[in-house]
Amino acid sequence: MVDLIEYLPILLFLGVALVLSSAFVFLPMLVGRLTGTHQPTPEKLTEYECGFPAFEDSRSQFDVRFYLVAILFIVFDLEAAFLYPWAVSVFDLGWTAWISMMIFIAELALGLVYAWKKGALEWE
């Protein structure tokens, strides 16, 4: 049977992590309230990202092509992240690594052809 004292370092680590993360979240809010910097005025509550008031509901739906382009970007960005370490060590890894990466690139190429045929890359 496992002795429970062996879990003490893990519990201490979790406790310190919980205290520090809570401090980083709540202390700035508390300091802002105590020093008086939290005084919302109409000027502070205006739009700050684009500079003009919203002209339609903020919960409106985006076109699905926006999400398709975002997903395609993530997929091909991850491909580059996998391709670089493979290219650095391909000669040490042998033919198995080379064949595996060619299969990986072929799958991504098929995905790109599919997205292209479906019109995911067309933008109006």
Side-chain angles (χ1 to χ4, degrees):
M1 186 164 184
V2 177
D3 200 15
L4 291 179
I5 197 72
E6 293 177 14
Y7 289 106
L8 184 62
I10 296 172
L11 290 175
L12 287 175
F13 178 76
L14 288 174
V16 168
L18 183 65
V19 167
L20 283 177
S21 61
S22 298
F24 283 130
V25 169
F26 295 115
L27 277 180
M29 292 190 291
L30 180 67
V31 169
R33 295 265 182 196
L34 293 177
T35 60
T37 57
H38 178 75
Q39 297 172 353
T41 62
E43 289 81 19
K44 282 187 179 181
L45 297 176
T46 59
E47 295 78 14
Y48 61 92
E49 289 179 348
C50 59
F52 58 87
F55 50 86
E56 60 184 47
D57 188 19
S58 63
R59 292 171 292 199
S60 64
Q61 293 182 346
F62 284 101
D63 190 8
V64 72
R65 286 176 292 193
F66 173 78
Y67 297 111
L68 288 175
V69 169
I71 289 171
L72 287 172
F73 171 76
I74 291 171
V75 165
F76 289 106
D77 189 44
L78 286 176
E79 175 194 7
F82 285 129
L83 196 59
Y84 180 74
W86 170 81
V88 170
S89 62
V90 67
F91 294 115
D92 298 332
L93 297 175
W95 284 103
T96 306
W98 189 83
I99 292 170
S100 300
M101 186 54 75
M102 292 306 118
I103 292 171
F104 178 67
I105 291 173
E107 288 175 354
L108 286 172
L110 284 174
L112 178 62
V113 168
Y114 176 77
W116 199 335
K117 288 210 178 251
K118 286 294 186 179
L121 302 176
E122 301 292 326
W123 201 264
E124 296 174 7

